[in-house]
Amino acid sequence: MTALSVLDLAPVTTATSGAEALKNTIDLARHVDRLGYIRYWLAEHHNIASIASSAPDIMIGQVAAATSHIRVGSGGVMLANHSPLQLVERFKTLEALFPDRIDLGLGRAPGTDPLTSYALRRPVEDIPPDQDFLQRLQEVMLFGNGGFPADHPFRHIKVSPSGTPMPPLWLLGSSDYSALLSAQIGVGFAFAHHFATHDAAEAVQSYRSNFRPSPALAAPYAILGVSVVCADTEAEAERLARTGDLSFLRIVKNERAPLASPEEAAAYPYTEAERERIRAHRSKMFVGTPDIVREGLLALVQATGADELMAVTSLYDHAARKRSYTLLAETFGLAQVP
């Protein structure tokens, strides 16, 4: 049976404030915990009007406290925005409070626009982004496992809380860069199929074929992030998905706005070129009844060899979002938790 998990962006709509979106996150987490999903990850984005998820480490603690079984993690923490030492201490704190239930997923991108990125990190050195990411990643791994060389000044820093292991490390990506890096250091890999232009099957195969076992992970494990809208009828699923169509177009046009209702999205004056872009984007989405969605997702799993599917469902109506995850769990035969 294919493992299912959840990626939550805490969607903000024209009828739902950011504060309400965060409360909806807690409600959804409790819901999918009971449905039998195995993992609940929270994203990090900044200065995006349709997303309230800007502090995943804080929300991970809230979600873990509100649930009982599901693993909770970051999908992901954008490493460019954080001090490695502070990040390790925060996630070790989470691991101490919720043993064996925390994941640390790291991303390379800042999760925002250049100006907001500057406000977040205010770099003092002109280091290329990839080099900066590798340096920060190395520090996370060394702080997490106490592995600095004897002559390194950081060797004397005592990471708190002591006696707590690091949560499992994952690298997130939408290209083969993170696939290869995940393989080289022997950690889990999560591929963002829901917005990537790179071929998912190629990325996962690259990860598997280059994987080197590590103390953290003996065999490769790949997650695919997938955009899902599941409803009782095809017509209802198509109606709900209109919100995502307009949201995608606004991202392309660099327009910032909360998620629109399906009715607002249907009334938007799209050009033919914009409709074509939406049709192309829809090819990466899984929209329809449970049977239709299941068939499409299983075909993707077969084509890519993914170990787990992580569904992201950002809808205007919170009840419809919960219903989508319910139908997905039922059609995949997840075992509900009492």
Side-chain angles (χ1 to χ4, degrees):
M1 185 177 70
T2 303
L4 290 183
S5 53
V6 175
L7 174 62
D8 183 13
L9 306 184
V12 178
T13 76
T14 54
T16 306
S17 69
E20 290 171 315
L22 296 179
K23 293 176 183 177
N24 285 341
T25 285
I26 303 299
D27 183 59
L28 180 63
R30 289 191 178 113
H31 181 65
V32 299
D33 187 32
R34 293 189 293 267
L35 290 174
Y37 285 82
I38 69 168
R39 207 181 307 273
Y40 196 101
W41 279 6
L42 298 120
E44 178 186 349
H45 292 282
H46 303 276
N47 195 32
I48 298 178
S50 59
I51 297 175
S53 185
S54 60
D57 53 336
I58 293 176
M59 289 304 296
I60 287 168
Q62 296 297 312
V63 168
T67 54
S68 301
H69 307 280
I70 200 165
R71 295 190 66 88
V72 190
S74 53
V77 164
M78 301 295 104
L79 188 51
N81 303 333
H82 301 274
S83 151
L85 173 58
Q86 187 178 56
L87 188 64
V88 169
E89 291 191 323
R90 288 178 177 179
F91 274 80
K92 281 202 170 194
T93 298
L94 289 166
E95 180 67 21
L97 294 171
F98 308 101
D100 299 319
R101 289 187 58 206
I102 304 299
D103 294 325
L104 172 54
L106 297 176
R108 281 194 302 147
T112 187
D113 57 90
L115 180 61
T116 308
S117 176
Y118 178 80
L120 284 165
R121 61 189 294 203
R122 297 183 183 273
V124 295
E125 297 178 82
D126 187 18
I127 301 176
D130 285 349
Q131 182 182 340
D132 179 58
F133 176 77
L134 289 174
Q135 289 180 3
R136 290 171 187 254
L137 176 61
Q138 183 182 49
E139 286 190 22
V140 166
M141 297 176 71
L142 292 174
F143 274 127
N145 299 298
F148 281 100
D151 60 347
H152 197 288
F154 289 173
R155 179 75 176 186
H156 304 288
I157 296 175
K158 304 300 181 184
V159 178
S160 179
S162 61
T164 304
M166 273 293 287
L169 182 64
W170 299 77
L171 293 189
L172 283 59
S174 56
S175 69
D176 60 350
Y177 178 94
S178 293
L180 288 170
L181 183 56
S182 301
Q184 289 168 359
I185 64 176
V187 300
F189 173 54
F191 183 78
H193 175 270
H194 54 297
F195 66 78
T197 56
H198 192 84
D199 181 67
E202 181 183 328
V204 173
Q205 180 55 41
S206 176
Y207 167 66
R208 290 194 180 282
S209 60
N210 290 282
F211 185 83
R212 300 174 185 173
S214 71
L217 192 63
Y221 192 96
I223 298 175
L224 281 187
V226 289
S227 180
V228 173
V229 179
C230 195
D232 293 281
T233 67
E234 284 189 65
E236 176 63 3
E238 287 294 326
R239 187 187 76 84
L240 294 172
R242 291 173 186 164
T243 292
D245 293 339
L246 180 55
S247 177
F248 163 73
L249 181 62
R250 283 174 165 166
I251 291 171
V252 170
K253 298 170 69 173
N254 198 29
E255 295 178 358
R256 304 182 185 279
L259 295 184
S261 70
E263 292 69 30
E264 291 175 282
Y268 188 87
Y270 302 98
T271 66
E272 187 53 41
E274 289 170 343
R275 293 184 186 279
E276 183 56 38
R277 295 195 77 158
I278 289 171
R279 281 191 288 268
H281 180 253
R282 275 290 194 101
S283 67
K284 289 187 172 293
M285 296 178 64
F286 298 85
V287 178
T289 62
D291 288 344
I292 291 173
V293 170
R294 182 175 185 273
E295 181 181 356
L297 289 174
L298 289 179
L300 179 65
V301 169
Q302 185 174 15
T304 61
D307 299 288
E308 181 179 327
L309 294 173
M310 179 170 281
V312 53
T313 302
S314 293
L315 300 178
Y316 182 79
D317 182 69
H318 180 60
R321 188 161 67 127
K322 291 174 67 175
R323 179 63 177 162
S324 180
Y325 281 112
T326 298
L327 294 173
L328 187 63
E330 290 174 351
T331 194
F332 273 85
L334 299 191
Q336 292 197 20
V337 179

